[in-house]
Amino acid sequence: MESTTETLGGGFDDAPRQAARAFRAALEAMARPGQLQQLGEVARAPAPCSPAAATLLLVLCDPETPVFLAGAHDSAAMRDWLRFHTGAPLVETRVAAVFALGTAEALAPLSDFAVGVPEYPDRSATLIIDGWASAHPVRLSGPGLREARAAELPMPEAFRANAARFPLGWDAYFTRADSLWALPRSTRIRMEGS
Amino acid sequence: MYVAVKGGEKAIDQAHDWLAEARRGDPSVAELSVAQIREQLALAVNRVMAEGSLFDPDLAALAIKQARGDLIEAIFLIRAYRTTLPRFAASRPLDTGAMRCDRRISATYKDLPGGQVLGPTFDYTHRLLDFALEAEGLDRPAVPAEADPCAMPRVTGFLDAEGLIQPEPPCEAVPGDLTRAPLELPAERALRLQALARGDEGFVLSMAYSTQRGYAKNHPFVAELRIGALAVEVEIPELGFAVEIGELELSECETVNQFTGSKSAPAQFTRGYGLVFGQSERKAISMALVDRALRWRELGEDWKGAPAQDEEFVLSHCDNIQATGFLEHIKLPHYVDFQSELELVRKLRRAAGAEVRAGAQADAQAAAE
Amino acid sequence: MSAYNFAYLDEQTKRMIRRALLKALAVPGYQVPFASREMPMPYGWGTGGVQVSAAVLVPEDVLKVIDQGADDTTNAVSIRRFFQKVAGVAVSEATAQATVIQTRHRIPERALEEGQILVYQVPIPEPLRFLEPSEIETRKMHALEEYGLMHVKLYEDISRHGEIATSYAYPVKVEGRYVMDPSPIPKFDNPKLSMAAIQLFGAGREQRIYALPPWTEVVSLDFEDYPFEAARAPHACDLCGAGDSYLDEVITDDAGGRMFVCSDTDFCGERRAAGHVGRLGESA
């Protein structure tokens, strides 16, 4: 049972306080698109899941939030870890997910995720994009940004299409190692150098 | 020199000390025990359990003592406590047909299997103050031992068997939970019934009364009112069978209501349903009438614009904890908003005054010309 | 206080509120439904704000609670004590030191900064509610961006009174999309709604959460020929002499005597400490 430690470990010792601090970083990130947030204490999940992504899952997921795992993140070890630590049900289709985890490429086609309905645009997915193959320079503007901010975005066309549906759309976190940043649907994206 | 009002913390502490003293009343009078409230003010305890949505007679009695007998305040205490409780399991659905009834009456059949049982009721008491109760320690007549409990099948079952009443087939869908998910409108019947079960007795009573007086009249007959105890069972997955974890006292009312049918559907009676913790029959009957009125759409009836038909109106206003909180919040300071209104009214009056003066001047000028 | 979880709410409830907060930030001005819990204080007394604060507080926070701009009003005192007890956070009356500020009816005079969060207590989150009582209808109106009714109401004000007769809870449009109730702040505070801090709005009884990320475009509704005007009493503070703060009017005797004082007690106190003296004040 070598996977047992991997499954049972990696959570928080003092969940209420650690989750509060991690959520605060996630909140600041969603409020300030493109601004990198460094997490203090992080959770650890089986590879290739980054500590930042593991922390988001732990802080936000529970039995009420169906999760979609994509690509290399959809491993038996990851499924066990998620079930044990959050109780979140795993779903096989993108449209059924409240949260989704994977690389940008594995999560594609992003247009398949729930975007909410006009009366309830909040009924939409949150993507945790944990790694990406290539990124393109863009400029971000909109709520949370006093001035436009430069960023690097994988699959910028998919994000622009998502932003164009505002107020419908999904929202995304980008995670790498111990840090994260967010891109809500409300952010306007301009391609750079084209 | 003006000094702003300070000392909020001290004022709060002193007010609460005073409250504790007032709660106790004259110390030369014996203090009420929680057990006395539970045993001797049982109907107050029942109401607090029903509207507090927590079946625990001891806690309800404690809340009534703490609230100085203010039942809405006691319900609030129970609700606030209830939200903090972890949820271990969901019980199996209760079969109220198997209830051990203390009281069971039907207004639709003179006699029926299981019989009519009056039970401990205020009905047919003459409402004359019983001064004998002023004297304490009097022995009360003992109630004759219960006859062997016999089966009391549901009255609506007889109508069901004849196909005379709109069927209510069992449903496997998991009902929503009003306390865990925000209410979304229109709401399904299970959620409406949840809201009514914990709704304010006075509000639900008035809504029900309004239907009787013609606002969405639905001609109810009390097919059956039953009050009694029922075991609560919980399925234990590890054991593979259900275990009895306790017993609830419930009041249930099923009404049979008139329904004309249509060309395609032959005439059939319809139902209203009420279920409440404890002995709370006024509430159970009221709930059944309001439930029936709210079903106008699914039963193909006309919208008559009656308050009791208006789901959004009823569900948004039946909760006395929401209502009392919002109502009473207007005693909190509002001087910032009032000040902005004051300035606006002053400004509008200045502008109006200038206009009136200008108008008078124009009139005088016109008269002079 | 080991009898309570950190910040009172259980973790599952906090997660539910936190998810709602993130969606609220992602769709600024849109009211996200949430399963508001019964709190140990009455609905209408700040349960929405308290739940939002409980979901965002970290142990290192410095909390400030104001009601009508003042730290010492009884309900502000009560809420501040609640969080001292259940979250063990530090508290302060100084706006500059606070990291989380829970407020009822005011935005502090001092400009808030990045790193601060302003949490509003909201009684009726629906700006269209007084025009259309049905939630089913108003939800549809927001979905269709159908705000004609609001403009008709404002226009009727103008034809009756000569100007828009709304002095508090003055409706705003957020990022050109959602009409939002800024909570019952005086319209004097409306221009501050676009700010460096994160603004979160909680309505407990009505089960709604909404938010404004920093620097979100917030426009008070008006007409070209009747532009929005922030209003205050045309006086200076009688204690600190400030001529640009929002004022409370205090009746000082029964012969028409009155004075005007800053509603923001921290702002006024700081000015007096710095040597500013108003008509009836004493130098510090």
Short mmCIF file of all heavy atoms in Angstrom, two decimals, chain B residues 168-225:
data_model
loop_
_atom_site.label_atom_id
_atom_site.label_comp_id
_atom_site.label_asym_id
_atom_site.label_seq_id
_atom_site.Cartn_x
_atom_site.Cartn_y
_atom_site.Cartn_z
N GLU B 168 -50.89 10.47 -5.27
CA GLU B 168 -49.62 11.09 -4.88
C GLU B 168 -48.58 9.97 -4.87
O GLU B 168 -48.26 9.42 -3.83
CB GLU B 168 -49.76 11.71 -3.49
CG GLU B 168 -48.90 12.92 -3.23
CD GLU B 168 -49.27 14.13 -4.07
OE1 GLU B 168 -50.28 14.78 -3.77
OE2 GLU B 168 -48.54 14.38 -5.03
N PRO B 169 -48.10 9.59 -6.06
CA PRO B 169 -47.22 8.41 -6.12
C PRO B 169 -45.91 8.69 -5.39
O PRO B 169 -45.45 9.83 -5.35
CB PRO B 169 -46.96 8.24 -7.62
CG PRO B 169 -47.29 9.55 -8.23
CD PRO B 169 -48.28 10.23 -7.35
N PRO B 170 -45.31 7.64 -4.78
CA PRO B 170 -44.05 7.83 -4.09
C PRO B 170 -43.00 8.35 -5.07
O PRO B 170 -43.04 8.04 -6.26
CB PRO B 170 -43.67 6.44 -3.60
CG PRO B 170 -44.80 5.56 -3.91
CD PRO B 170 -45.76 6.26 -4.81
N CYS B 171 -42.10 9.14 -4.55
CA CYS B 171 -41.10 9.78 -5.40
C CYS B 171 -39.72 9.48 -4.84
O CYS B 171 -39.50 9.61 -3.65
CB CYS B 171 -41.39 11.27 -5.42
SG CYS B 171 -40.13 12.21 -6.25
N GLU B 172 -38.81 9.08 -5.71
CA GLU B 172 -37.47 8.72 -5.27
C GLU B 172 -36.52 9.91 -5.28
O GLU B 172 -35.40 9.83 -4.79
CB GLU B 172 -36.90 7.61 -6.16
CG GLU B 172 -37.59 6.26 -5.98
CD GLU B 172 -37.54 5.75 -4.54
OE1 GLU B 172 -36.47 5.85 -3.92
OE2 GLU B 172 -38.58 5.28 -4.04
N ALA B 173 -36.97 11.03 -5.85
CA ALA B 173 -36.08 12.19 -5.95
C ALA B 173 -35.69 12.69 -4.56
O ALA B 173 -36.51 12.69 -3.65
CB ALA B 173 -36.75 13.29 -6.74
N VAL B 174 -34.45 13.10 -4.42
CA VAL B 174 -34.00 13.65 -3.14
C VAL B 174 -34.51 15.09 -3.04
O VAL B 174 -34.23 15.91 -3.92
CB VAL B 174 -32.46 13.65 -3.05
CG1 VAL B 174 -31.99 14.29 -1.75
CG2 VAL B 174 -31.94 12.22 -3.17
N PRO B 175 -35.31 15.38 -2.02
CA PRO B 175 -35.84 16.75 -1.92
C PRO B 175 -34.73 17.73 -1.58
O PRO B 175 -33.72 17.37 -0.97
CB PRO B 175 -36.86 16.66 -0.78
CG PRO B 175 -36.46 15.47 0.01
CD PRO B 175 -35.75 14.53 -0.91
N GLY B 176 -34.89 18.97 -1.99
CA GLY B 176 -33.93 20.02 -1.64
C GLY B 176 -33.97 20.30 -0.15
O GLY B 176 -34.85 19.81 0.56
N ASP B 177 -33.00 21.05 0.32
CA ASP B 177 -32.95 21.40 1.74
C ASP B 177 -32.88 22.92 1.86
O ASP B 177 -31.89 23.55 1.50
CB ASP B 177 -31.72 20.75 2.39
CG ASP B 177 -31.65 21.01 3.89
OD1 ASP B 177 -32.33 21.96 4.37
OD2 ASP B 177 -30.92 20.28 4.58
N LEU B 178 -33.97 23.47 2.37
CA LEU B 178 -34.12 24.92 2.51
C LEU B 178 -33.01 25.53 3.35
O LEU B 178 -32.65 26.69 3.16
CB LEU B 178 -35.46 25.15 3.22
CG LEU B 178 -36.13 26.48 3.12
CD1 LEU B 178 -36.44 26.80 1.69
CD2 LEU B 178 -37.41 26.44 3.95
N THR B 179 -32.45 24.76 4.27
CA THR B 179 -31.45 25.33 5.18
C THR B 179 -30.04 25.20 4.62
O THR B 179 -29.10 25.70 5.22
CB THR B 179 -31.50 24.66 6.56
OG1 THR B 179 -31.07 23.30 6.43
CG2 THR B 179 -32.90 24.70 7.14
N ARG B 180 -29.89 24.52 3.49
CA ARG B 180 -28.54 24.34 2.93
C ARG B 180 -28.36 24.95 1.55
O ARG B 180 -27.24 25.05 1.07
CB ARG B 180 -28.19 22.84 2.84
CG ARG B 180 -28.38 22.07 4.11
CD ARG B 180 -27.59 22.63 5.25
NE ARG B 180 -26.20 22.24 5.25
CZ ARG B 180 -25.35 22.52 6.23
NH1 ARG B 180 -25.76 23.20 7.28
NH2 ARG B 180 -24.11 22.13 6.17
N ALA B 181 -29.45 25.30 0.91
CA ALA B 181 -29.34 25.89 -0.43
C ALA B 181 -30.26 27.10 -0.49
O ALA B 181 -31.34 27.08 0.10
CB ALA B 181 -29.74 24.87 -1.49
N PRO B 182 -29.84 28.16 -1.18
CA PRO B 182 -30.70 29.34 -1.24
C PRO B 182 -32.00 29.01 -1.98
O PRO B 182 -32.00 28.25 -2.93
CB PRO B 182 -29.86 30.35 -2.03
CG PRO B 182 -28.80 29.57 -2.71
CD PRO B 182 -28.59 28.33 -1.92
N LEU B 183 -33.08 29.57 -1.50
CA LEU B 183 -34.39 29.32 -2.09
C LEU B 183 -34.43 29.89 -3.50
O LEU B 183 -34.08 31.03 -3.72
CB LEU B 183 -35.48 29.97 -1.23
CG LEU B 183 -36.91 29.80 -1.72
CD1 LEU B 183 -37.33 28.33 -1.66
CD2 LEU B 183 -37.87 30.65 -0.92
N GLU B 184 -34.85 29.05 -4.43
CA GLU B 184 -34.98 29.49 -5.80
C GLU B 184 -36.44 29.39 -6.19
O GLU B 184 -37.09 28.41 -5.85
CB GLU B 184 -34.11 28.59 -6.69
CG GLU B 184 -33.99 29.09 -8.11
CD GLU B 184 -33.31 28.05 -8.99
OE1 GLU B 184 -32.37 27.38 -8.51
OE2 GLU B 184 -33.72 27.91 -10.14
N LEU B 185 -36.94 30.40 -6.89
CA LEU B 185 -38.35 30.41 -7.24
C LEU B 185 -38.52 30.20 -8.73
O LEU B 185 -37.69 30.68 -9.50
CB LEU B 185 -38.96 31.75 -6.83
CG LEU B 185 -38.88 32.01 -5.32
CD1 LEU B 185 -39.11 33.47 -5.03
CD2 LEU B 185 -39.90 31.16 -4.58
N PRO B 186 -39.56 29.51 -9.17
CA PRO B 186 -40.55 28.83 -8.34
C PRO B 186 -39.95 27.62 -7.63
O PRO B 186 -39.04 26.99 -8.14
CB PRO B 186 -41.63 28.40 -9.35
CG PRO B 186 -40.95 28.40 -10.68
CD PRO B 186 -39.84 29.40 -10.60
N ALA B 187 -40.50 27.31 -6.45
CA ALA B 187 -39.97 26.22 -5.63
C ALA B 187 -40.85 24.99 -5.76
O ALA B 187 -42.06 25.10 -5.93
CB ALA B 187 -39.93 26.66 -4.17
N GLU B 188 -40.23 23.83 -5.71
CA GLU B 188 -41.03 22.61 -5.78
C GLU B 188 -41.78 22.41 -4.46
O GLU B 188 -41.47 23.03 -3.45
CB GLU B 188 -40.15 21.41 -6.10
CG GLU B 188 -39.05 21.21 -5.08
CD GLU B 188 -38.04 20.16 -5.53
OE1 GLU B 188 -37.42 20.36 -6.59
OE2 GLU B 188 -37.92 19.15 -4.83
N ARG B 189 -42.76 21.49 -4.50
CA ARG B 189 -43.66 21.35 -3.35
C ARG B 189 -42.91 20.96 -2.08
O ARG B 189 -43.23 21.43 -0.97
CB ARG B 189 -44.74 20.32 -3.67
CG ARG B 189 -45.84 20.30 -2.63
CD ARG B 189 -46.96 19.37 -3.03
NE ARG B 189 -47.98 19.30 -2.01
CZ ARG B 189 -48.66 18.19 -1.73
NH1 ARG B 189 -48.42 17.09 -2.40
NH2 ARG B 189 -49.57 18.20 -0.79
N ALA B 190 -41.89 20.10 -2.20
CA ALA B 190 -41.15 19.67 -1.01
C ALA B 190 -40.55 20.87 -0.29
O ALA B 190 -40.57 20.95 0.94
CB ALA B 190 -40.06 18.68 -1.41
N LEU B 191 -40.02 21.81 -1.05
CA LEU B 191 -39.43 22.99 -0.44
C LEU B 191 -40.50 23.91 0.15
O LEU B 191 -40.31 24.50 1.21
CB LEU B 191 -38.60 23.76 -1.48
CG LEU B 191 -37.24 23.15 -1.79
CD1 LEU B 191 -36.60 23.89 -2.96
CD2 LEU B 191 -36.32 23.21 -0.58
N ARG B 192 -41.63 23.99 -0.54
CA ARG B 192 -42.73 24.81 -0.01
C ARG B 192 -43.18 24.26 1.34
O ARG B 192 -43.40 24.99 2.30
CB ARG B 192 -43.90 24.84 -0.99
CG ARG B 192 -43.56 25.43 -2.35
CD ARG B 192 -44.81 25.86 -3.11
NE ARG B 192 -45.76 24.80 -3.34
CZ ARG B 192 -45.99 24.22 -4.52
NH1 ARG B 192 -45.30 24.61 -5.59
NH2 ARG B 192 -46.88 23.27 -4.65
N LEU B 193 -43.31 22.93 1.40
CA LEU B 193 -43.76 22.31 2.65
C LEU B 193 -42.73 22.51 3.76
O LEU B 193 -43.08 22.75 4.91
CB LEU B 193 -44.04 20.82 2.43
CG LEU B 193 -45.29 20.52 1.59
CD1 LEU B 193 -45.36 19.04 1.22
CD2 LEU B 193 -46.56 20.93 2.34
N GLN B 194 -41.45 22.44 3.41
CA GLN B 194 -40.41 22.71 4.42
C GLN B 194 -40.56 24.11 4.99
O GLN B 194 -40.47 24.33 6.19
CB GLN B 194 -39.02 22.60 3.79
CG GLN B 194 -38.48 21.20 3.63
CD GLN B 194 -37.14 21.21 2.88
OE1 GLN B 194 -36.34 22.11 3.05
NE2 GLN B 194 -36.94 20.21 2.05
N ALA B 195 -40.76 25.06 4.07
CA ALA B 195 -40.88 26.45 4.52
C ALA B 195 -42.10 26.64 5.41
O ALA B 195 -42.05 27.31 6.44
CB ALA B 195 -40.95 27.39 3.31
N LEU B 196 -43.21 26.00 5.03
CA LEU B 196 -44.43 26.14 5.83
C LEU B 196 -44.28 25.46 7.19
O LEU B 196 -44.75 25.95 8.20
CB LEU B 196 -45.64 25.56 5.09
CG LEU B 196 -46.07 26.31 3.83
CD1 LEU B 196 -47.16 25.54 3.10
CD2 LEU B 196 -46.56 27.71 4.18
N ALA B 197 -43.59 24.31 7.21
CA ALA B 197 -43.46 23.56 8.46
C ALA B 197 -42.71 24.37 9.50
O ALA B 197 -42.98 24.27 10.69
CB ALA B 197 -42.74 22.24 8.20
N ARG B 198 -41.75 25.19 9.04
CA ARG B 198 -41.01 26.02 10.00
C ARG B 198 -41.50 27.46 10.00
O ARG B 198 -40.94 28.32 10.66
CB ARG B 198 -39.50 25.94 9.74
CG ARG B 198 -39.13 26.53 8.41
CD ARG B 198 -37.70 26.29 7.92
NE ARG B 198 -36.69 26.05 8.91
CZ ARG B 198 -35.51 26.69 8.97
NH1 ARG B 198 -35.24 27.65 8.13
NH2 ARG B 198 -34.62 26.36 9.85
N GLY B 199 -42.55 27.72 9.23
CA GLY B 199 -43.08 29.08 9.13
C GLY B 199 -43.81 29.50 10.40
O GLY B 199 -44.20 28.67 11.22
N ASP B 200 -44.00 30.78 10.53
CA ASP B 200 -44.66 31.32 11.72
C ASP B 200 -46.11 30.84 11.80
O ASP B 200 -46.86 30.96 10.83
CB ASP B 200 -44.64 32.85 11.66
CG ASP B 200 -45.28 33.47 12.88
OD1 ASP B 200 -44.64 33.45 13.94
OD2 ASP B 200 -46.42 33.96 12.77
N GLU B 201 -46.48 30.32 12.96
CA GLU B 201 -47.83 29.78 13.13
C GLU B 201 -48.89 30.84 12.84
O GLU B 201 -49.89 30.57 12.17
CB GLU B 201 -47.99 29.24 14.55
CG GLU B 201 -49.38 28.68 14.81
CD GLU B 201 -49.48 28.01 16.17
OE1 GLU B 201 -48.56 27.24 16.52
OE2 GLU B 201 -50.46 28.28 16.88
N GLY B 202 -48.67 32.04 13.33
CA GLY B 202 -49.66 33.11 13.12
C GLY B 202 -49.80 33.47 11.65
O GLY B 202 -50.90 33.65 11.14
N PHE B 203 -48.67 33.53 10.95
CA PHE B 203 -48.71 33.86 9.53
C PHE B 203 -49.42 32.78 8.73
O PHE B 203 -50.30 33.07 7.91
CB PHE B 203 -47.28 34.05 8.99
CG PHE B 203 -47.22 34.35 7.53
CD1 PHE B 203 -47.25 35.67 7.08
CD2 PHE B 203 -47.13 33.34 6.58
CE1 PHE B 203 -47.21 35.96 5.73
CE2 PHE B 203 -47.09 33.62 5.22
CZ PHE B 203 -47.13 34.93 4.80
N VAL B 204 -49.05 31.53 8.99
CA VAL B 204 -49.65 30.43 8.23
C VAL B 204 -51.14 30.33 8.55
O VAL B 204 -51.98 30.12 7.67
CB VAL B 204 -48.92 29.09 8.53
CG1 VAL B 204 -49.52 27.95 7.71
CG2 VAL B 204 -47.43 29.22 8.20
N LEU B 205 -51.49 30.55 9.82
CA LEU B 205 -52.90 30.56 10.22
C LEU B 205 -53.67 31.63 9.45
O LEU B 205 -54.75 31.38 8.90
CB LEU B 205 -53.00 30.81 11.74
CG LEU B 205 -54.38 31.13 12.30
CD1 LEU B 205 -55.32 29.93 12.16
CD2 LEU B 205 -54.27 31.54 13.78
N SER B 206 -53.13 32.83 9.38
CA SER B 206 -53.84 33.92 8.70
C SER B 206 -53.99 33.66 7.21
O SER B 206 -55.02 33.94 6.62
CB SER B 206 -53.10 35.25 8.92
OG SER B 206 -53.17 35.61 10.27
N MET B 207 -52.94 33.12 6.61
CA MET B 207 -53.01 32.77 5.19
C MET B 207 -54.11 31.72 4.97
O MET B 207 -54.91 31.81 4.03
CB MET B 207 -51.67 32.21 4.72
CG MET B 207 -50.62 33.24 4.47
SD MET B 207 -51.04 34.26 3.05
CE MET B 207 -50.79 35.85 3.76
N ALA B 208 -54.13 30.70 5.84
CA ALA B 208 -55.12 29.64 5.71
C ALA B 208 -56.53 30.21 5.88
O ALA B 208 -57.45 29.90 5.11
CB ALA B 208 -54.85 28.55 6.75
N TYR B 209 -56.67 31.07 6.86
CA TYR B 209 -57.96 31.70 7.15
C TYR B 209 -58.44 32.49 5.94
O TYR B 209 -59.61 32.46 5.56
CB TYR B 209 -57.78 32.57 8.39
CG TYR B 209 -58.97 33.38 8.82
CD1 TYR B 209 -60.25 32.81 8.92
CD2 TYR B 209 -58.83 34.73 9.16
CE1 TYR B 209 -61.33 33.55 9.34
CE2 TYR B 209 -59.91 35.49 9.59
CZ TYR B 209 -61.16 34.91 9.66
OH TYR B 209 -62.22 35.66 10.06
N SER B 210 -57.50 33.18 5.28
CA SER B 210 -57.88 33.98 4.13
C SER B 210 -58.43 33.11 3.00
O SER B 210 -59.33 33.52 2.28
CB SER B 210 -56.70 34.83 3.64
OG SER B 210 -55.74 34.04 2.97
N THR B 211 -57.93 31.88 2.88
CA THR B 211 -58.49 30.99 1.83
C THR B 211 -59.91 30.58 2.20
O THR B 211 -60.76 30.45 1.33
CB THR B 211 -57.64 29.71 1.63
OG1 THR B 211 -57.76 28.86 2.77
CG2 THR B 211 -56.19 30.03 1.37
N GLN B 212 -60.16 30.42 3.49
CA GLN B 212 -61.52 30.04 3.90
C GLN B 212 -62.52 31.16 3.64
O GLN B 212 -63.68 30.92 3.38
CB GLN B 212 -61.55 29.71 5.39
CG GLN B 212 -60.87 28.40 5.75
CD GLN B 212 -61.02 28.13 7.23
OE1 GLN B 212 -60.41 28.81 8.05
NE2 GLN B 212 -61.81 27.14 7.58
N ARG B 213 -62.00 32.41 3.72
CA ARG B 213 -62.90 33.54 3.53
C ARG B 213 -63.05 33.91 2.05
O ARG B 213 -63.70 34.90 1.74
CB ARG B 213 -62.41 34.74 4.33
CG ARG B 213 -62.65 34.56 5.84
CD ARG B 213 -62.53 35.88 6.58
NE ARG B 213 -63.56 36.82 6.17
CZ ARG B 213 -63.38 37.83 5.34
NH1 ARG B 213 -62.21 38.02 4.79
NH2 ARG B 213 -64.39 38.62 5.04
N GLY B 214 -62.44 33.16 1.17
CA GLY B 214 -62.71 33.39 -0.25
C GLY B 214 -61.51 33.81 -1.07
O GLY B 214 -61.62 33.91 -2.29
N TYR B 215 -60.37 34.09 -0.43
CA TYR B 215 -59.18 34.41 -1.21
C TYR B 215 -58.50 33.10 -1.61
O TYR B 215 -57.75 32.54 -0.86
CB TYR B 215 -58.23 35.31 -0.39
CG TYR B 215 -58.76 36.71 -0.21
CD1 TYR B 215 -59.65 37.01 0.82
CD2 TYR B 215 -58.38 37.72 -1.08
CE1 TYR B 215 -60.15 38.29 0.97
CE2 TYR B 215 -58.88 39.00 -0.94
CZ TYR B 215 -59.77 39.28 0.08
OH TYR B 215 -60.28 40.55 0.22
N ALA B 216 -58.84 32.60 -2.78
CA ALA B 216 -58.39 31.29 -3.26
C ALA B 216 -59.04 30.18 -2.46
O ALA B 216 -58.38 29.31 -1.90
CB ALA B 216 -56.87 31.15 -3.21
N LYS B 217 -60.35 30.24 -2.42
CA LYS B 217 -61.12 29.24 -1.67
C LYS B 217 -60.87 27.85 -2.25
O LYS B 217 -60.85 27.67 -3.46
CB LYS B 217 -62.61 29.57 -1.79
CG LYS B 217 -63.45 29.06 -0.64
CD LYS B 217 -64.86 29.64 -0.74
CE LYS B 217 -65.75 29.17 0.40
NZ LYS B 217 -65.34 29.66 1.73
N ASN B 218 -60.61 26.87 -1.37
CA ASN B 218 -60.39 25.52 -1.90
C ASN B 218 -61.17 24.44 -1.15
O ASN B 218 -60.84 23.27 -1.22
CB ASN B 218 -58.89 25.21 -1.98
CG ASN B 218 -58.19 25.47 -0.66
OD1 ASN B 218 -58.69 25.09 0.40
ND2 ASN B 218 -57.03 26.10 -0.71
N HIS B 219 -62.19 24.85 -0.42
CA HIS B 219 -63.17 23.93 0.18
C HIS B 219 -62.52 22.74 0.89
O HIS B 219 -62.67 21.61 0.45
CB HIS B 219 -64.15 23.43 -0.88
CG HIS B 219 -64.81 24.51 -1.64
ND1 HIS B 219 -65.89 25.20 -1.16
CD2 HIS B 219 -64.51 25.06 -2.84
CE1 HIS B 219 -66.25 26.13 -2.03
NE2 HIS B 219 -65.42 26.08 -3.05
N PRO B 220 -61.83 22.98 1.94
CA PRO B 220 -61.14 21.86 2.58
C PRO B 220 -62.04 21.07 3.54
O PRO B 220 -62.89 21.64 4.21
CB PRO B 220 -60.04 22.57 3.38
CG PRO B 220 -60.65 23.89 3.73
CD PRO B 220 -61.59 24.26 2.63
N PHE B 221 -61.86 19.77 3.52
CA PHE B 221 -62.38 18.91 4.59
C PHE B 221 -61.17 18.32 5.29
O PHE B 221 -60.22 17.90 4.62
CB PHE B 221 -63.18 17.73 4.02
CG PHE B 221 -64.41 18.14 3.27
CD1 PHE B 221 -64.41 18.18 1.89
CD2 PHE B 221 -65.59 18.45 3.95
CE1 PHE B 221 -65.54 18.54 1.18
CE2 PHE B 221 -66.73 18.80 3.24
CZ PHE B 221 -66.71 18.85 1.85
N VAL B 222 -61.22 18.26 6.62
CA VAL B 222 -60.13 17.59 7.31
C VAL B 222 -60.38 16.10 7.19
O VAL B 222 -61.20 15.53 7.91
CB VAL B 222 -60.02 18.04 8.78
CG1 VAL B 222 -59.01 17.18 9.53
CG2 VAL B 222 -59.62 19.50 8.85
N ALA B 223 -59.74 15.46 6.25
CA ALA B 223 -59.89 14.02 6.09
C ALA B 223 -59.38 13.35 7.35
O ALA B 223 -59.99 12.41 7.86
CB ALA B 223 -59.10 13.53 4.89
N GLU B 224 -58.27 13.86 7.83
CA GLU B 224 -57.70 13.24 9.00
C GLU B 224 -56.71 14.18 9.66
O GLU B 224 -55.93 14.87 9.01
CB GLU B 224 -56.97 11.95 8.60
CG GLU B 224 -56.49 11.18 9.80
CD GLU B 224 -55.99 9.80 9.41
OE1 GLU B 224 -56.01 9.47 8.22
OE2 GLU B 224 -55.58 9.09 10.33
N LEU B 225 -56.79 14.17 10.99
CA LEU B 225 -55.79 14.86 11.79
C LEU B 225 -55.27 13.82 12.77
O LEU B 225 -56.06 13.21 13.49
CB LEU B 225 -56.45 16.02 12.54
CG LEU B 225 -55.56 16.74 13.55
CD1 LEU B 225 -54.50 17.56 12.84
CD2 LEU B 225 -56.40 17.65 14.44
#
